[in-house]
Each structure stands twice: as C-alpha cells, then as structure tokens.
Amino acid sequence: MNQAGEMVETRLESESAAPAIAIASVVIAMALIAIGNGLMFAYIPVRLGVAGLPPTWAAIIVTSLSAGGIAGCLLTGRIVRRVGHARAFMVMSALIVLSNAAVGAGPYPLVWVGARALYGFAICALFIVSQSWLNDAIGNHIRGRVMAMFYVAYVVGLGVGSYLLSFVDISTSQAPMVGIVFTALSILPVGMTRLRPPPPPESASVAFLRAWRISPVGIAGMLAVGGLSMMISGFAPIHATAKGYSQQEVATLMFAMPLGTLLFQIPFGWISDRTDRRYVLIAASFLVLLAGLAAYAVDGSALALVIIVYVVWSGAGESIYSISSAHANDRAGRDDLVTLSSSMLFAWSVSGFIIPSIGTVLTAVYGTQSFMYVAIAIAVVFGLFVVWRVLASQPVEAENMSGFAPMTAQAPLPVDLAFSPDGDEPASR
C-alpha cells in the first residue's frame, strides 16, 4: 500500500514538473532566436557601412522588416489553424535561417531588403505562436511571472547577440552563420517539448473605432511606440555606424540598450499599478523627449556618455508599450478584450511600418540623425495627447486595474492573452 502510494506520488510529482520543463523549452527557444536576431540587427548597418553603401539602404531594410511584420500579424492565425503551433514555430524558424543565409551571401541591398522582410514576417509569427502556446499552458496565478520571464529572456538574448558582433569578422559571412546556428538550436527544445498543443486560435477581428472608444490612450500608445521603438532600436546602429563608431563600439551600444528595458519597466510598472497609469505615460514621454534632446547634444561624443543616454532613451520608450497595454486592459470588459488587443496589435504594426518609412525618407534628405527628430516629435505629440485625456476623462478605479507585466516594443502584443483560461472575471469599465 505504501509502495503504491509512493508510486502515485512520484508520478504526480513528475507530471507537475513536466509543465515547468516544457514551458522553459519555449522560453529558451525564443532566447536562442533573440541571440541570433540581436547579432543581425547590429551586423547589417555595420556591414553596409564597411561595403561603402549609403545609410539610406540600412533604413530601407529596417522598413522592409516592419512590412514583413504586418504580414506576420495578419497571417499567423491562419497558418497556426492549418498546421498547429509546433509546426508553425519550426517553419518560421526555417524562414529566419533562409533570411540569414541570404544576408550571408554578400552585401546585396535588394536581396537584403527581401531577406529582412522575410525575417520580419517570421519573427512576428514566432512571437504570436510562442505567446499563445504559453498562454494555453499556464494558469492566471503564474501568468505574469512566466510572461515576464519570457520577455526578460528575449531582451537579454538581444543584448548578448548584439555584443557577439565584437567577435566576428565583419568582412565575412560569420555573423549570418552564427545567427543560423542559434536559430537552428532554437528548434531543438520546441521539437522536444511536452507542452500540449493549444486549440486552434479564433479569428480576431480588428475594430479600430470600437477599440478607440474603449481606450484612446491605449491605441494612441501603440501608434506612438510602434514607430518609436523602430526609430530608436532600428536606426541607432545605422547612425552610430555613419558617425564613425567602430564595430566594437556599435556592438557595445546595442548590447547596452536592451538594459534600459529591464531598468525602467519594472519601476514604472510598479508605480503605474498604484496610481493613474496615464501619469506614468506622461512621465515616460517626457523622459523620451529629454533623452532624445540629450542624444542630439552628445552625438559623436565619448561612447560611455552616448550609452547612458541611449539606455535611458530606449528604456523610457519601451515602457510606453507595456504601460499603454496595461491601461487599455484596465478599461476593457471581457467581451472587449479580443477586439481591443487585435486592434492594438494592428495599430502597433502599421505604425512600425509607416514611421520607419518616414525616417527612411528623412535620412536620405537630412542624414541619419533624422531619427532623433522623429522620436522627439512622437514623444511630444503622445505626451500632450495623454495630458489632454487626463483632463478630459476620469481614471480607472484601483480595484479594476489589471496587473502590469513587462513587455518589449520589439515584439507583438500577446493577442491570445485576451482569453482567460481560468475563467477570471474581467475588469469593470
């Protein structure tokens, strides 16, 4: 009897341990992909600069990545419904491998434009697949912690990948090959995962006007930060390369910038859980404005000073993303959540394409420092809009506020988090 009881207890412990291992497999897979992605983000502008190509090409490549991201946001649900989460994850990883291989063939700008559009499609799809997979596997009582771990792992991976640029021969295809290796490695934990396949995702409609009525600040935040993140994270290495910073210095800058996400989101999120989140959004916008002005003032200065400014700039901008998402969820009822999150994802995607397109044109006319002007303008317009909303509407009551979770604006919103598997009651409007 005792032996049978011990066997049952052992089996139950094994079953309870399996989800943790399986969840970790998805988190580790995305962290490995992030390492390769961070390396490629830093490599492309530096390699184009070494090849003597104008920085406008690098800006066009950033824009093409965003265009691919829009396609990924629109088509991922259909792909997952057809082949399932695991196969979709592997297919998208394969597309990233193909993208890196095309980049490794040599500095052919038109080829790179297509390759990075393919990457944008695949990485957006990978985030949606992995987040919905995790959402199905975890309960609400640990959701915040798991998703925070997921985003932190990805952000750290981006920084580590960027720093790897210091150790590769920029004149060869070493960097794309390293990116391919890490992407290939990411397939292994997913291929061996014990997570059950989630049910096919529902089709989520975009109703922009309805979402705007629910949360104008939330939608405006996505419109602001979609472009803001691409301008700061995408154009910073382009500008640094054009200013003459070395390969090692660009790698160090790109390694440091993700730290801002970790340094600012946690305290900003903690404050936003205890007050009107719009006040925190105003503060974050003001900080983006100040950091943008500081970036212009220290442009071309010592690397250490530039890194400090860009860490603050990146961290404040990324905070707008997660706080805007939390604020929107505070104001949504249960029936609104799917439409709201889908519409916010669409706003983020479109902004992430249109704003870099404007930045590309301005770069061709006024130079690579144009991205600073665009980021400053976005911060001013969004900050003033939130001030107006504070004066025009009442804050959400504290008991109706949802919990804050850190996110990165370089990844799409977790649309499937709109579903509540544990049946929790929604926040009241």
Side-chain angles (χ1 to χ4, degrees), residues 311-330:
V311 165
V312 174
W313 204 12
S314 176
E318 294 274 329
S319 298
I320 293 175
Y321 184 68
S322 50
I323 297 171
S324 295
S325 176
H327 173 76
N329 289 332
D330 292 342

Side-chain angles (χ1 to χ4, degrees), residues 26-80:
V26 176
V27 175
I28 292 170
M30 287 303 294
L32 289 170
I33 287 174
I35 294 174
N37 293 347
L39 175 59
M40 296 304 293
F41 267 114
Y43 168 78
I44 286 177
V46 175
R47 182 67 181 94
L48 290 175
V50 170
L53 293 165
T56 306
W57 274 113
I60 293 172
I61 290 170
V62 169
T63 305
S64 71
L65 186 155
S66 303
I70 293 178
C73 291
L74 295 176
L75 298 177
T76 300
R78 188 177 305 173
I79 294 171
V80 173

Side-chain angles (χ1 to χ4, degrees), residues 271-297:
I271 295 171
S272 75
D273 279 342
R274 289 157 177 80
T275 185
D276 189 339
R277 297 195 201 275
R278 296 174 297 180
Y279 294 146
V280 185
L281 286 172
I282 293 169
S285 301
F286 185 66
L287 193 55
V288 171
L289 166 62
L290 292 181
L293 295 173
Y296 179 79

Side-chain angles (χ1 to χ4, degrees), residues 387-408:
V387 169
W388 173 68
R389 290 302 303 170
V390 168
L391 298 176
S393 62
Q394 295 296 318
V396 178
E397 296 180 2
E399 61 268 21
N400 292 330
M401 293 175 66
S402 58
F404 170 86
M407 298 179 179
T408 172

Side-chain angles (χ1 to χ4, degrees), residues 3 17 93 112 134 157 172 220 227 314 370 388 416 421 428:
Q3 184 177 2
S93 297
W112 285 18
L134 289 176
T172 69
S314 176
S370 300
W388 173 68
D416 284 347
S428 169

